[in-house]
Amino acid sequence: KMSHSKRRRVDSQPHDNDGDGSTATRDADPAARALADRIKGHHAQLRNRVQDAGPDAAWIENTKQTAALSEYADAMFTLATAHWSSDAQTRLTWCRDTIFEYFIEGGKEKALAKDARRTAHLAKVSEAKVREFEGQPNANAPPVEDGSKGTGDSTASTQPQTNPTEVVSTKLLGPDADAGAASPHSPRVRVLDVGSCYDPFSQFDDVLDVTAIDLCPAPSAPSSVLACDFLTIPIKAPPFTAGAVATSGDTLPPTDFPRCERKGNVISFAGDGHTVEALHAGSCDAVVFCLLLSYMPTPEMRAEACTRALTILRVGGLLVIVTPDSSHVGKAAARMKRWKTTIESLGFRRWRYSKLKHTHCMAFRAVGLDAAPDPPDGVSPAELASGIVLQCEL
């Protein structure tokens, strides 16, 4: 059974939009609609099984339905590659561009600098309040020439002294936690694509070094998609570091990991060399959940997936989430605010949000529980503890 610590409720009730792979097929041709109906039927069966047998038993049973999973994966593959929108910006290009901006174009450094300024400001405000409580002069107040007390508002420009890398939690695991993904020797960003289906992000291999996993890869998927259950696969500390000897006996280069060897630092394989045995904590720069959370049938499973992503990410890494919704952005505003509050309470801070025609696209920085934002006004710690609603569309 999955641990219930630090979980948050994710409402699984359906909404009046096309909340799965069918979001782009409302007015599509009959073949696309038939594929979407097949996907919806699989989702409904899984949720009904949860009602009958309970979430854990239902999920275990689901993982054993190889024929049904293969049919589902094939429908998703065909729908995605033959019928979905060919707009200039798609869910895939949004993920690529967001990851590139964050790791390659300085987005991460800007975010850390903003964290540092926020920390310095909060420290200054806290010090001023303590001095006011103790009846001491405010050290940050401007000089007053007429002898009266200052207002306590500082007009001087100060530079934060906090090291940006100290803003994020030190409890997150991972080698080179405070190092950027890009370097002269390793320019690509290391990405774990969960629920990959057919490894669509491999087309961006000039930027992304992708490890693709799926509960059941599509029959037509390349061999690069590895089969494993993200919700139950063990997550362990990396068995080796740069320059050490890997389990295969190959010595890894100190910095410039070739693609296949870099995968060895994300995943452990069983003795046969093909079966995924474990994922490694702190091994990835980014984790992508593209249309993944809407598949999971219970609130706890979705929160567990986000918590696992936090463990796999390096400090300051990026969790990229794409979830389906064809409705207008204003209709989902309250729901997306709850998404933000809930995911941030698990140890993230939202960095980007966009509403595309058929999807919500979000990117969250992994900062750890120590540095996660406080709940917004009107949301009490008790509400978070009891499980705030983080709604998915199915």
Side-chain angles (χ1 to χ4, degrees), residues 47-90:
R47 280 155 176 75
N48 290 337
R49 194 178 295 127
V50 168
Q51 296 296 322
D52 295 337
D56 292 332
W59 185 256
I60 293 173
E61 179 64 23
N62 179 61
T63 62
K64 297 178 180 178
Q65 303 293 323
T66 54
L69 289 173
S70 181
E71 182 180 347
Y72 174 88
D74 185 61
M76 286 293 297
F77 171 79
T78 305
L79 194 61
T81 57
H83 297 281
W84 276 352
S85 173
S86 58
D87 293 341
Q89 186 177 44
T90 67

Side-chain angles (χ1 to χ4, degrees), residues 3 20 64-65 75 110 170 175 182 210-211 219 249 281 297 301 317:
S3 169
D20 56 7
K64 297 178 180 178
Q65 303 293 323
K110 292 178 182 178
T170 57
V210 181
T211 298
M301 289 179 182

Side-chain angles (χ1 to χ4, degrees), residues 215-254:
L215 183 62
C216 179
S220 302
S223 59
S224 58
V225 186
L226 306 171
C228 76
D229 180 6
F230 183 70
L231 289 178
T232 60
I233 192 75
I235 301 177
K236 302 179 179 179
F240 56 86
T241 56
V245 177
T247 55
S248 64
D250 297 329
T251 301
L252 301 180

